[in-house]
Amino acid sequence: MIFSTYAAFKESGFLPRVTVVGSGPAGITIARTLAKMGIPVAIFEAGGEDITAESQDIYEGETFGDPYFTLDTTRLRYFGGSSNHWAGWCRAIDAMDFEAKHWVPDTGWPIGRNAIEPYLSEVHDILDLVPFEDDKPITEEISLIQLIKSPAVRFAKKYRSDLAHSRNIALVLDTYVTELVGDGSAVTGASIVSDEQVHFHHSPLYVVATGGIENSRLLLWSNERSNGGVVPQAEALGRYWMEHPQFIAADVVLMAPDAFPLDEQGEAFFSPSFKAIEQAGILNFGVRLIAKPYSGMKEAVADLACFAPSATEWLSAEAGLHLVCGGHVSVGWEQAPDRDNRITLSKDMRDAAGVPRVELHWKKNDIDYRTLSEGLRIFARSIAAVDAGRLRLADWVDKRAYPDDAELAGHHHMGGTRMNLDPKRGIVDADCKVHGMRNLYIAGSSVFPTSGHANPTTTITALALRLGYHLASKAAA
């Protein structure tokens, strides 16, 4: 069932056992899982069926620190959430990403990769994925890996019919949960703005799934309004926020056009071994080899250079192309968890509903730079060791002068409500339940304690399935 206002939802008499705030990949996956298990669930989506300027305005905020995207463009506030601009890259984070790194403080998950393994086949169906191939070691330090680009599932489009026809799901659009109310042990209700009216909603169980920035915002504001009654142990709330910094950082010369198998886009992907990052004292990283960065005449000359370099030396010089047989190397890496990278609430600016706007404080630190620079050197050594190619680092890498007109990051918002058994260092436990609260759960990449290098959607979906089945058992009790 789909409702356009909260008032229409109330008139229907539908009584959910679980209320999910947010209709992105995590929220929809949890709701569909619960419905399949016979549990009635409501999804409250703050936006409507389509994007609007008024809805996106709620996401405006300020950033402090390193250059970053504007906050109202790096995420989307309507049915389907940010899956509406997802590029489709898929890979679950690696087993080693769950492990604590003794050389980096605050790393490690309270669960292992085995906790999400049982759900990955169902994730493949949800995201329309083909099976993953095993990683292929190139050297002891580097493996060729698979990063699958799915059809970029738009959750609103793919699952709208399921939601509309389900007797166990009520999707309520244009329904903005502005705050949760709690007494320090449970959420006792939710304040909602819908159709310019304020409503108060009750539910036995609540899941906050509004995204890797908005989860922190909603909980920070709710906690302030309830005097700590929503997140009673809030030392880490909003903190340890992470991204995947991402830059084209080197050129590569390949010794042969078939040095590595390339996908349909002419790209290959690589990542390091645990031993390699441990010895270097860095974190995980992903290398994207873009083997055909040229087009038109440049592409023709570059292709010829792979097979007859002497014959094309004069041509490229005459044309002023200065091309090589190879391409570019883009690096995206795991950012170290840092308490000072955080979400806070503005003291001066509020949205149309009176909720403080977001302030994002984000900077790359020393280990982030070392992961980039040492990761490039590990990759360079590896391809040279097998005589596959040579790497030339961009000038800015050794100068530690990140470009401010480049990729910047992956639009991957992680942390802020991280998973940790210690309430001083995390907000949720291993089941994604808020510490000290019996009926409040959090879904999405905001629960990631660390990020690995992989795009987060595959892991988000696996964790959402895991949480959905867990909540089904709780709601049925």
Side-chain angles (χ1 to χ4, degrees), residues 33-83:
T33 304
L34 287 165
K36 180 174 65 176
M37 303 297 287
I39 306 300
V41 54
I43 308 174
F44 292 159
E45 168 54 51
E49 292 262 15
D50 301 300
I51 192 169
T52 66
E54 293 78 14
S55 186
Q56 284 302 116
D57 175 77
I58 302 294
Y59 277 173
E60 285 191 3
E62 289 188 289
T63 61
F64 300 88
D66 287 352
Y68 194 63
F69 313 108
T70 56
L71 298 184
D72 59 328
T73 59
T74 192
R75 55 218 174 110
L76 298 176
R77 189 177 183 270
Y78 67 107
F79 180 28
S82 291
S83 76

Side-chain angles (χ1 to χ4, degrees), residues 80-393:
S82 291
S83 76
N84 289 298
H85 67 185
W86 178 45
W89 293 112
C90 292
R91 179 180 172 87
I93 64 175
D94 299 325
M96 71 177 185
D97 297 325
F98 290 88
E99 299 178 21
K101 315 298 188 296
H102 63 81
W103 59 96
V104 182
D106 293 316
T107 53
W109 293 54
I111 59 174
R113 169 69 183 253
N114 62 321
I116 65 169
E117 287 284 351
Y119 308 100
L120 291 181
S121 61
E122 195 169 346
V123 169
H124 280 222
D125 293 337
I126 293 169
L127 300 180
D128 294 340
L129 298 178
V130 298
F132 280 93
E133 297 177 3
D134 292 337
D135 297 348
K136 298 177 175 62
I138 302 300
T139 67
E140 289 186 354
E141 293 188 299
I142 286 287
S143 290
L144 180 72
I145 66 169
Q146 193 173 31
L147 192 63
I148 296 177
K149 191 170 186 180
S150 83
V153 171
R154 305 298 183 229
F155 273 67
K157 181 178 180 180
K158 181 174 179 179
Y159 296 114
R160 190 187 192 284
S161 180
D162 284 5
L163 304 183
H165 294 99
S166 174
R167 293 185 177 183
N168 286 323
I169 299 175
L171 169 65
V172 192
L173 300 170
D174 291 308
T175 298
Y176 180 14
V177 177
T178 57
E179 68 177 274
L180 302 175
V181 178
D183 61 10
S185 63
V187 172
T188 57
S191 184
I192 290 168
V193 174
S194 178
D195 198 25
E196 299 183 351
Q197 301 293 317
V198 178
H199 307 269
F200 200 74
H201 174 77
H202 296 279
S203 179
L205 295 167
Y206 295 84
V207 180
V208 175
T210 59
I213 293 176
E214 210 66 11
N215 279 358
S216 291
R217 181 193 187 196
L218 173 58
L219 293 172
L220 283 164
W221 179 234
S222 299
N223 221 35
E224 183 176 318
R225 295 275 290 173
S226 289
N227 296 315
V230 174
V231 185
Q233 296 166 292
E235 290 183 41
L237 182 56
R239 294 186 176 273
Y240 299 100
W241 193 84
M242 302 168 291
E243 248 279 14
H244 285 136
Q246 188 169 301
F247 296 93
I248 291 178
D251 294 320
V252 63
V253 178
L254 299 176
M255 298 310 190
D258 59 351
F260 300 109
L262 305 176
D263 65 14
E264 293 179 356
Q265 286 75 40
E267 298 175 344
F269 301 89
F270 306 82
S271 69
S273 65
F274 184 87
K275 181 179 179 181
I277 66 170
E278 182 179 31
Q279 289 180 341
I282 60 176
L283 288 170
N284 206 352
F285 61 90
V287 171
R288 178 183 177 192
L289 172 61
I290 309 168
K292 287 185 177 291
Y294 311 119
S295 61
M297 179 182 178
K298 285 187 175 184
E299 182 178 7
V301 177
D303 285 346
L304 186 57
C306 292
F307 299 99
S310 61
T312 55
E313 182 178 349
W314 66 271
L315 178 58
S316 60
E318 285 291 321
L321 300 178
H322 307 293
L323 303 181
V324 295
C325 172
H328 296 324
V329 169
S330 176
V331 183
W333 68 93
E334 176 180 11
Q335 189 172 23
D338 184 337
R339 284 181 61 87
D340 291 334
N341 284 335
R342 66 197 189 279
I343 303 293
T344 61
L345 300 177
S346 173
K347 298 185 183 304
D348 306 313
M349 298 186 298
R350 299 192 175 220
D351 66 24
V355 178
R357 294 192 182 276
V358 164
E359 293 181 348
L360 172 62
H361 303 259
W362 181 65
K363 293 186 72 173
K364 298 178 285 294
N365 61 25
D366 288 342
I367 194 170
D368 297 327
Y369 169 72
R370 292 202 312 276
T371 297
L372 166 68
S373 59
E374 293 304 311
L376 283 167
R377 289 175 171 84
I378 290 170
F379 181 62
R381 284 199 304 271
S382 294
I383 65 171
V386 297
D387 205 27
R390 300 293 186 271
L391 215 64
R392 182 182 66 185
L393 272 60

